[in-house]
Amino acid sequence: MVEQSSNQKTERIKHAVEIAKKAHEGQFRKTGEPYIVHPLAVKKILEEWGMDEDTIIAGILHDTVEDTSLTLEDIRQEFGDSVAFLVDGVTKLSTARNGMRDIDTYLPATKDNFLRLMIALGDDIRVLIIKLADRLHNLRTLSALPPDKQKKIAKESLEVFAPLADRLNMGLLRVEMADLAFKYVDPRRFEELKNLIDKYNKSAEKSLNKIKEEVSSALKKEKISFEISGRVKSVYSLHKKLAKHNQNINEIYDLTALRIIVDDITDCYLTLGIIHSLYMPMNGRIKDYIAMPKQNGYQSLHTTVITKDKHIVEFQIRTREMHEYAERGLAASFYYNEQKLTENYKSGKIEHLPTNLLWITELQMTAAKLREGKKVDLKKLKLNLFADKIFVYTPKGDILDLPAGAMPLDFAYKLHSEIGDHVVGVKINGKMSNLNKKLEQGDIVEILTSKNQTPKSSWLDKIFTPHARAKLMRALRPDQPQTKKRQKHSK
Ligand code: MN
């Protein structure tokens, strides 16, 4: 690879901006601004993430092939194969749900659009990073769209893009996307929880400052250099947690959290010890994600303690490097390891990929094999990619994510309790099926309801998620109006 001076780099980027400006001339966004505002915002986001030059240029040009007279060939001639490849990838990705035309030539027939999309990404994960930047800016400017479009985009962001950001350990992005989107999906709930968090933080502020001081002086005594700061819980993650815990706020232990960043791993464990000597750790709440990183590569020590004045505080302890990776994820790896990583993509070597992101390599290998016409075990790939999660569709094409093992009633209750309570049957991929059938990745699920149906206690065996179970239990409670309804219907 030819080394370029930073001057040449900025020239190339400037040139891309000029070309995009010309191409989008006369086009406007729904906000009324000239269209170029959008690609420039995507450029800025990618720069903030520390992405490489080709990715930034592809970000500037990402909407040109689909929406302007500029062709892929023009881009290839002007900026080379790599940029053209990335722009092409983003263009295909935006039409993914409508059929993924080109990919059809090498992808075996599967109804699972999400899997298809992931395999398509296997070629270069930077395509996904551009798409995420694109989506982030669209979410930031969502208020300009009509309400039905707002809801659809917001929902898809919650169901697909925020989980993807999580898979890439891009923590800051996941939080911003999820909260932006959640505000449109459920505005009332968003306000309610946001107020709750603010109130909680205000009431905890004083004691939190005291805790900060106590911990700081103990760490100084041990000559550990550190930074300590509060972390605010995102509205959407609180919403998800409350659903898991029957809406019982007293079971949420990480509403208040303090983050401590230290120099090295030894200091992480020393710090944990010091905190436990100051406060009582809660049983079963110590998590060593340093020795055992999360699936997305996230590393930290977590512990929840009870202070002398009975406050519950979570501590997150990590090194600077771990912190950087937790917030920016794969993008951070590109920044620090750009050259190496890019080379490895080309040679297919895996050893320099960030911890636990080997699923990306697996995607790439699979994509390559498929293109060469080799046989691939898609079932196994699915299992590795989504061990804990499946994505299923409503007949209208909306995507819902559920834990692996979920059944039709879980799906129904996730849609709405009104739907769950009145289920009489289910069609999976167009065929009648049983309520105890486990849903699979990519299934299209159609719930059949009748207003005369009432919830049955026998359904408890046909439910997997705590969320659906809680809703069913509530409906089954004898003092609920449901009982009366049932008597009425039986007459
Ligand atoms: Mn765009």
Side-chain angles (χ1 to χ4, degrees), residues 29 35 38-39 42 59 62-63 67 90 130-131 133-135 137-138:
R29 299 199 87 213
Y35 195 87
H38 169 62
V42 170
H62 79 272
D63 277 331
D67 298 338
V90 179
I130 297 168
K131 186 68 201 170
D134 175 42
R135 178 52 62 107
H137 183 244
N138 284 335

Side-chain angles (χ1 to χ4, degrees), residues 135-142 153-154 157 177 180-181 184:
R135 178 52 62 107
L136 178 60
H137 183 244
N138 284 335
L139 278 174
R140 283 176 179 168
T141 52
L142 202 55
I153 291 176
S157 303
M177 259 191 175
L180 279 172
Y184 289 96

Side-chain angles (χ1 to χ4, degrees), residues 373-431:
K374 287 188 192 146
K375 267 207 160 166
V376 166
D377 187 351
L378 284 184
K379 267 229 161 82
K380 200 182 131 227
L381 176 72
K382 261 187 226 173
L383 218 74
N384 291 343
L385 290 183
F386 313 108
D388 47 348
K389 219 171 214 183
I390 55 169
F391 294 85
V392 288
Y393 300 83
T394 68
K396 276 191 194 154
D398 289 329
I399 305 178
L400 263 73
D401 69 318
L402 288 164
M407 291 177 274
L409 284 166
D410 295 302
F411 181 89
Y413 275 108
K414 178 142 189 178
L415 285 173
H416 203 283
S417 29
E418 271 301 301
I419 297 177
D421 287 348
H422 297 99
V423 172
V424 288
V426 61
K427 276 186 184 174
I428 299 177
N429 302 323
K431 278 190 213 134

